[in-house]
Amino acid sequence: MSNKIAVLPGDGIGQEIVAEAVKVLECLKSDFGLAVEMEGGLVGGSAYDASGTPLPEDTLKLSKEADAILLGAVGGYQWESLDIAVRPEKGLLGLRAELELFSNLRPAILYPQLADASTLKAEVVSGLDLMIVRELTGGIYFGQPRGVRTLESGERQGYNTLVYAEHEIERIGRSAFDIAMKRDKRVTSVDKANVLECTELWREVMERVAKDYPEVKLSHMYVDNAAMQLVRAPKQFDVMVTTNMFGDILSDCAAMLTGSIGMLPSASLDANGKGMYEPIHGSAPDIAGQNVANPLATILSVSMMLRYSLDQVEMADKIDQAVNQVLDNGLRTTDIHSEGMQAVSCSAMGDAVVAALRG
Ligand code: IPM
Ligand code: MG
């Protein structure tokens, strides 16, 4: 039986990078017998332009029916002045919420070939292999009440609410501990328990979850210190688990350790392992349409999809090997380019990965 993949390129460079990831999937289909069907849909600003909403009903339906979702990126300058309720980002947040994709896995792995591309010294980052587990459907991103109100004085006041129920903390905790069991068995839970009651509860629940995983060592870290430690000595971490907003911030920081945010894939999973896969970078409107974006994060997101949702580990390994191969061959998009390497476009990078797959 063939699996169905919903393909949602979104906005900006989303179109270009997803096209390259689709090339890779088509190659696995034609040359290696991967049984998948792909169907496209609109999300984000392009969906708003076509239908007045960033998450059209048919896209939501397609995403719910599919076995996995491949997403590019959403957002762009032309939609920044729209009401927040219909901004492109709402399309992405709506998908996460509607599909209950609460567990966001953001690996930060340094490819040895790219040690020079990092802004940090090679000895600080070489061998880096960190997994950030970000809670994705709760916290301040979704907490009620929220909005902008007018006070009696006439002054306006903006407000958002950081809220986590115990079950939400517990399930993301279990995700992190399950992953740690397959890795180095260390979890660092990141919070701000010295100031925020909500994350004091977070810390307490993490301690409780840890009791079911006696082999895993749990430690806690305040988010400000975690940000500092990430750039000071990132290799101290194995699995980092944290709230929605802290995870948003720390994962961008961790991405840069690897040389380029253009290299990092992600998985957003529900309780049954169904997932949405996307690069962690955004729609990069400044370089959209120029065929210069790095498609590797999206191609590696396909690899994660095959591994985590479609149970096609061998196909995933093939992609990872092909990406390693093109890096070994010295091919580099602008974001990871360094002296002596061969500068290539987005589509040439995709073609090179396909060529490497074919051997
Ligand atoms: C991310 C992005 C999104 C987020 C935006 C586009 C809503 O920054 O996936 O990290 O904040 O979650
Ligand atoms: Mg982000």
Side-chain angles (χ1 to χ4, degrees):
M1 214 193 72
S2 100
N3 287 125
K4 187 163 183 182
I5 302 174
V7 178
L8 315 178
D11 310 320
I13 60 167
Q15 301 286 339
E16 302 156 48
I17 53 179
V18 167
E20 300 314 310
V22 167
K23 276 185 196 166
V24 168
L25 278 164
E26 291 291 358
C27 170
L28 290 176
K29 276 180 77 168
S30 61
D31 290 41
F32 300 97
L34 177 68
V36 294
E37 295 306 322
M38 290 177 258
E39 192 177 327
L42 291 175
V43 70
S46 47
Y48 175 81
D49 288 346
S51 64
T53 163
L55 182 53
E57 272 305 319
D58 50 353
T59 298
L60 186 57
K61 185 162 173 283
L62 168 68
S63 305
K64 281 184 172 164
E65 282 166 7
D67 298 294
I69 302 147
L70 178 64
L71 188 130
V74 297
Y77 308 130
Q78 66 267 52
W79 301 291
E80 274 172 13
S81 56
L82 287 178
D83 188 88
I84 201 164
V86 291
R87 262 189 234 157
E89 289 75 8
K90 277 285 181 214
L92 180 58
L93 296 172
L95 278 172
R96 290 174 180 170
E98 288 280 344
L99 300 174
E100 291 187 74
L101 306 171
F102 68 88
S103 177
N104 184 210
L105 313 184
R106 300 193 158 187
I109 296 169
L110 182 88
Y111 284 79
Q113 302 95 321
L114 300 182
D116 292 337
S118 177
T119 46
L120 276 81
K121 291 196 193 101
E123 72 249 32
V124 175
V125 290
S126 72
L128 179 77
D129 178 359
L130 152 73
M131 178 68 91
I132 295 186
V133 180
R134 169 189 176 193
E135 200 291 323
L136 204 60
T137 52
I140 198 165
Y141 270 52
F142 293 94
Q144 296 286 350
R146 63 191 296 155
V148 178
R149 60 193 161 206
T150 304
L151 302 173
E152 271 176 28
S153 65
E155 188 190 10
R156 289 187 308 153
Q157 183 187 55
Y159 57 101
N160 289 88
T161 307
L162 174 61
V163 47
Y164 272 114
E166 286 179 286
H167 79 272
E168 294 176 287
I169 307 170
E170 177 160 347
R171 65 184 181 180
I172 193 66
R174 291 197 183 280
S175 280
F177 279 87
D178 285 340
I179 288 165
M181 284 299 289
K182 295 184 196 146
R183 296 174 46 104
D184 200 34
K185 301 192 172 68
R186 291 181 294 118
V187 171
T188 306
S189 170
V190 176
D191 61 38
K192 190 70 186 173
N194 51 343
V195 179
L196 305 172
E197 290 84 348
C198 180
T199 66
E200 213 180 351
L201 178 67
W202 176 282
R203 190 175 277 223
E204 191 189 308
V205 174
M206 285 296 161
E207 285 290 342
R208 205 159 75 205
V209 172
K211 292 206 172 72
D212 291 339
Y213 298 83
E215 287 173 57
V216 177
K217 191 177 170 330
L218 170 68
S219 59
H220 304 277
M221 200 177 269
Y222 297 139
V223 64
D224 47 352
N225 185 26
M228 183 178 77
Q229 296 299 335
L230 263 181
V231 285
R232 191 188 73 85
K235 284 188 274 181
Q236 69 185 283
F237 298 110
D238 178 27
V239 175
M240 194 182 252
V241 62
T242 191
T243 63
N244 203 341
M245 186 158 79
F246 294 163
D248 178 45
I249 299 165
L250 293 177
S251 61
D252 267 32
C253 179
M256 232 18 240
L257 303 173
T258 71
S260 171
I261 197 165
M263 290 298 299
L264 295 195
S266 78
S268 306
L269 305 173
D270 73 3
N272 305 313
K274 172 169 169 172
M276 179 158 80
Y277 296 81
E278 53 177 313
I280 87 153
H281 60 71
S283 57
D286 53 325
I287 58 163
Q290 298 172 27
N291 194 22
V292 297
N294 185 348
L296 293 180
T298 317
I299 290 171
L300 291 167
S301 298
V302 172
S303 159
M304 283 189 95
M305 173 190 291
L306 294 167
R307 208 177 286 286
Y308 287 93
S309 286
L310 304 184
D311 203 20
Q312 295 279 355
V313 178
E314 277 176 31
M315 300 276 178
D317 287 344
K318 281 188 203 304
I319 295 182
D320 294 352
Q321 279 157 17
V323 168
N324 259 301
Q325 182 71 55
V326 298
L327 293 175
D328 281 343
N329 292 349
L331 272 63
R332 303 283 188 272
T333 42
T334 316
D335 56 313
I336 51 174
H337 190 258
S338 59
E339 221 183 300
M341 297 296 145
Q342 186 190 341
V344 294
S345 66
C346 176
S347 55
M349 185 60 110
D351 291 340
V353 174
V354 169
L357 275 174
R358 297 204 162 117

